[in-house]
Amino acid sequence: MKLTIGLPNGSMQQATLALLAQIGIEIYPQGRSGLIDIEGLNLFSQAILMRPQDLALALLQKQIDCAICGLDWVIETELQQNIPIGSAIKRLKELPYSRAIKKSARIIVFGRPDSPPLQNPAIAISTEYTHLTKQAYPQATLSFSHGSTEIKVALGQYDYGVALTETGSSLRDNNLQIVDELLITPTLLIARESIPELMAFGDLLLGALEADRHQILKLNIDQKHKNQVINLLPALRAPTVSTLSDNAFAIETVVPKTHLAQLLIQLRTLGATDMVVQNLNAVVL
């Protein structure tokens, strides 16, 4: 089986290529060509870099077999093509990352402190998502925005804007406030068909994202404190315990990074020695 995968260019490109590299898949862009070589997984014959806005439509038109794409552009494309939500584009896996952070972005409605009420039938909205916005505010006058939506609203050119946000810093910088949320938009692995190989590929991507939140912890402990240490350790399944030649024990487990510092202190006070912390590439359960 040889498939073509569509990947987002622009602001999502670096984060996506880094995620693939984490599980051993290397992408080699060739100049300005959208067609690129892909190595490390025989499932794919090639990859195509495209604007995130175009990936879902390319999938529907059978130009690609699967894609990594935001839910926002999947739904916007389905509304634009007037097809039932979720009928033709299969959402195989939800991948909690965006261009700058390891969680889903949001499609929000924002305005100035003096913007008229949203219920006002005469409001004007500048939006990057015309179909999503029309569904939520059918009475509004919409204008498609190619970007810099915050500036247009801040200058009073429009009453409200609709755009994607991750941190909200641009809104704060322009003295704008969020007044509604249209969609939480995770990154998705999408395809026309839900085949086992693509589902397994999605599990690998999820495993790479999960690995960023965990580390491997190895330590040695004497017999007297073994049970105390095991009861203290978090684990995705159960710690691996091996007997050493001096009848002490070597213990290995996977722990959340957020617990690591406190855990190391507790283990040290119990007499743990030879503690080693290692990064992970993927955690696939």
Side-chain angles (χ1 to χ4, degrees):
M1 180 182 300
K2 292 287 188 178
L3 305 176
T4 297
I5 183 171
L7 302 174
N9 63 12
S11 60
M12 281 290 290
Q13 180 175 328
Q14 183 175 353
T16 301
L17 297 190
L19 177 62
L20 292 170
Q22 197 169 322
I23 56 173
I25 299 173
E26 297 292 342
I27 305 294
Y28 299 100
Q30 301 293 328
R32 298 175 64 88
S33 173
L35 293 172
I36 52 180
D37 294 330
I38 180 168
E39 294 183 3
L41 186 61
N42 291 334
L43 180 63
F44 301 116
S45 60
Q46 65 180 2
I48 300 179
L49 280 171
M50 303 179 70
R51 295 195 320 154
Q53 298 92 321
D54 298 330
L55 285 165
L57 184 59
L59 187 73
L60 289 175
Q61 295 175 341
K62 300 184 179 181
Q63 296 168 346
I64 57 177
D65 300 296
C66 63
I68 295 175
C69 179
L71 176 61
D72 51 348
W73 295 115
V74 172
I75 293 180
E76 181 73 7
T77 299
E78 290 169 329
L79 292 172
Q80 181 186 41
Q81 299 298 312
N82 197 28
I83 59 177
I85 301 296
S87 62
I89 301 175
K90 307 301 180 185
R91 304 167 192 181
L92 304 188
K93 296 290 179 179
E94 182 175 312
L95 308 172
Y97 82 100
S98 56
R99 55 193 171 191
I101 55 178
K102 297 293 185 181
K103 63 179 182 180
S104 300
R106 300 181 295 156
I107 306 302
I108 49 93
V109 183
F110 55 89
R112 301 179 306 278
D114 64 346
S115 292
L118 269 172
Q119 295 73 26
N120 189 324
I123 60 170
I125 301 179
S126 177
T127 176
E128 299 174 35
Y129 303 89
T130 53
H131 293 83
L132 271 170
T133 307
K134 190 66 176 177
Q135 186 180 60
Y137 300 102
Q139 84 286 1
T141 299
L142 306 184
S143 176
F144 178 73
S145 174
H146 294 276
S148 301
T149 312
E150 298 92 337
I151 302 298
K152 299 170 189 175
V153 176
L155 293 176
Q157 189 175 357
Y158 297 94
D159 299 313
Y160 291 96
V162 174
L164 180 141
T165 186
E166 294 180 358
T167 64
S169 59
S170 180
L171 298 175
R172 292 188 293 272
D173 290 344
N174 288 284
N175 194 31
L176 300 170
Q177 55 194 19
I178 298 172
V179 295
D180 196 7
E181 180 179 277
L182 298 186
L183 183 69
I184 296 175
T185 174
T187 303
L188 303 175
L189 175 64
I190 60 173
R192 292 190 306 277
E193 298 180 45
S194 179
I195 61 175
E197 291 84 355
L198 284 177
M199 295 297 290
F201 172 62
D203 287 336
L204 286 178
L205 294 175
L206 280 172
L209 291 167
E210 186 66 22
D212 285 341
R213 295 189 284 270
H214 293 81
Q215 289 181 302
I216 294 175
L217 172 61
K218 301 178 181 181
L219 61 96
N220 293 342
I221 192 68
D222 58 36
Q223 192 169 28
K224 177 181 177 181
H225 296 99
K226 169 193 166 188
N227 289 337
Q228 285 177 275
V229 166
I230 290 176
N231 291 334
L232 185 64
L233 289 175
L236 294 177
R237 288 286 190 250
T240 299
V241 181
S242 305
T243 304
L244 301 175
S245 59
D246 60 357
N247 292 322
F249 295 90
I251 298 178
E252 181 175 336
T253 190
V254 177
V255 301
K257 287 182 179 180
T258 53
H259 297 169
L260 186 63
Q262 181 63 33
L263 185 60
L264 290 174
I265 291 173
Q266 291 175 293
L267 291 170
R268 192 64 173 173
T269 60
L270 286 174
T273 62
D274 305 303
M275 291 190 290
V276 176
V277 177
Q278 296 176 324
N279 291 330
L280 294 159
N281 282 343
V283 176
V284 183
L285 300 179

